[in-house]
Amino acid sequence: MNPANLLTKRHRIVELARRRPGEVLFLLHHVIDFEWMREAYWLTRKDGATGIDGVMAAEYEANLEANLRDLLERIKTGCYKAPPVRRTYIPKADGSQRPLGIPTFEDKVAQRAIAMVLEAVYEQDFLPCSYGFRPGRSAHQALQQLSSAIVVRQQYWVIEVDIRKYFDSIPHSELRAILDQRVTDGVIRRMIGKWLKAGVLENGLLHFVTEGTPQGGVISPILSNIFLHHVLDEWFEKEVRPRLIGTATLVRFADDFVMTFETHHDAKRVLEVLGKRLGRYGLTLHLDKTRFIDFRPQRHGGTHADCTDAAFDFLGFTHSWGKSRNGKNVVRQTTAKSRFARGLAAIKDWCRTNRHRPILDQLAVLSDKLVGHYAYYGITGNSGRLQQYRHQVTKIWRKWLARRTRSKRLPWDRFNAFLARHPLPPARIVHRYAT
């Protein structure tokens, strides 16, 4: 495989999209060849659950070249048949369950190949306000942008938005119409159409839907980003902001987004029309979770009757006011209670089911879990919550280690002596930024 060839092919699509902004591109699939498919394979996760065919990544790799060439041929000739996804459920923080679709491994590779083409095109169109599932952009950049909008640009009127079952609600007809404005390549569109029609297999029954992106597939994030780019991002940038009195900012990560405004009047006007805008495209605001927040640090006149006077959550962090070391008002971004509790619940489950393993093996796994927690939640101003999390993990671990003994007790002095020799990773700030 020649990486330079892949870069050249991708660059051609990128340059084409840049030269023809807003125009329909109808010839893109010529870049999809064996090298492209091999790259799609390497970019596909190998440790995921199996789809309805039960084929694992290692089995597929055993005859990789023949499998990829056969897959490429079926994609190009239109003979590829998208298999239904296997549906399972994962618990959510509010006690409900989120449906998750599991495609076959080969289907994941095919989706990755098409997603690579779409990404090369739409990355030239996407606006700076969106951060989710985009190369070179992260949740922490979104958090920093939000903090800067509030503190630096003094946009204290906040709309915290929740779209009801977004990924399950996207109407296929509207999605196709949006794609028609930019990508009409026959191979690309035919494959997307097959995935939209593939259906879901649950409890032995096959269901077909006319709404939602392919669940669990790697094509889903790019399709959902394309949809909200048209429905929300462009609308906010081209139609909303020019009509406002003051400044405003939209920060979006996938379907999670927050709007901040300089004036109460602007925020109220946008909130009144936001539901109508989303409704035109088959989406619905979750009214119980969508809030209009008076986030001024000092409210001498009290809170407006149509606002909530409270902190708000975004991307797993609770945003509230605090003081910096030099006494300035700053937005504190601390681990949200629901994420904190969910993380500890996962630690408890792991410790309970793995307490029989050698203690040093447990130490290694828990250390990795803590490092992973710090990697996301370790941001400026959140050191207290990180230390609390580490302390709670230590208590949970000691509790379940004690269950290995007849006495059901493990003295703290003995446990602390072990931790002195083999300490868990200390809490640390990974992402430092100031507004």
Side-chain angles (χ1 to χ4, degrees), residues 1 28 61 66 72 106 123 152 216 245 274 318 362 390 416:
M1 181 173 64
L28 299 169
E61 188 174 1
L72 175 62
E106 182 178 68
E123 273 299 313
V152 178
I245 299 172
L274 179 60
T318 296
Q362 295 186 47
R390 182 181 183 274
N416 287 334

Side-chain angles (χ1 to χ4, degrees), residues 159-196:
I159 300 178
E160 179 189 5
V161 185
D162 186 276
I163 301 177
R164 187 184 295 275
K165 297 181 178 180
Y166 171 64
F167 289 94
D168 298 327
S169 306
I170 300 175
H172 293 174
S173 58
E174 296 288 355
L175 176 59
R176 289 189 179 96
I178 290 172
L179 289 169
D180 285 344
Q181 300 176 29
R182 192 62 163 137
V183 173
T184 59
D185 179 280
V187 172
I188 303 296
R189 292 298 301 274
R190 185 169 60 222
M191 289 295 291
I192 294 175
K194 289 176 184 288
W195 287 315
L196 294 178

Side-chain angles (χ1 to χ4, degrees), residues 41-103:
Y41 166 79
W42 289 118
L43 291 174
T44 302
R45 283 186 57 182
K46 312 299 190 296
D47 57 350
T50 59
I52 62 171
D53 62 357
V55 176
M56 302 179 66
E59 298 175 59
Y60 196 82
E61 188 174 1
N63 198 17
L64 182 60
E65 182 171 344
N67 286 334
L68 290 180
R69 290 193 183 280
D70 179 61
L71 175 59
L72 175 62
E73 177 68 15
R74 283 179 283 142
I75 289 174
K76 288 295 186 75
T77 60
C79 296
Y80 182 78
K81 295 182 179 180
V85 297
R86 179 170 64 86
R87 174 173 284 175
T88 186
Y89 291 88
I90 55 177
K92 295 175 63 175
D94 60 4
S96 62
Q97 290 188 316
R98 182 193 306 276
L100 177 66
I102 304 175

Side-chain angles (χ1 to χ4, degrees), residues 339-388:
R339 295 292 187 93
F340 193 89
R342 188 171 73 184
L344 292 180
I347 293 291
K348 177 182 176 181
D349 288 342
W350 189 90
C351 288
R352 184 182 68 248
T353 57
N354 292 275
R355 63 183 184 273
H356 62 282
R357 295 175 58 176
I359 190 169
L360 290 179
D361 288 356
Q362 295 186 47
L363 174 70
V365 173
L366 290 175
S367 296
D368 288 344
K369 291 181 180 294
L370 281 173
V371 170
H373 185 85
Y374 304 154
Y376 185 76
Y377 293 101
I379 68 173
T380 302
N382 197 32
S383 59
R385 291 290 275 173
L386 296 182
Q387 292 168 3
Q388 291 174 22

Side-chain angles (χ1 to χ4, degrees), residues 234-244 277 280:
E234 287 190 323
W235 171 72
F236 186 83
E237 185 67 30
K238 297 178 180 180
E239 298 185 35
V240 173
R241 289 183 64 178
R243 291 178 169 85
L244 300 180
R277 171 66 181 181
R280 284 178 54 189

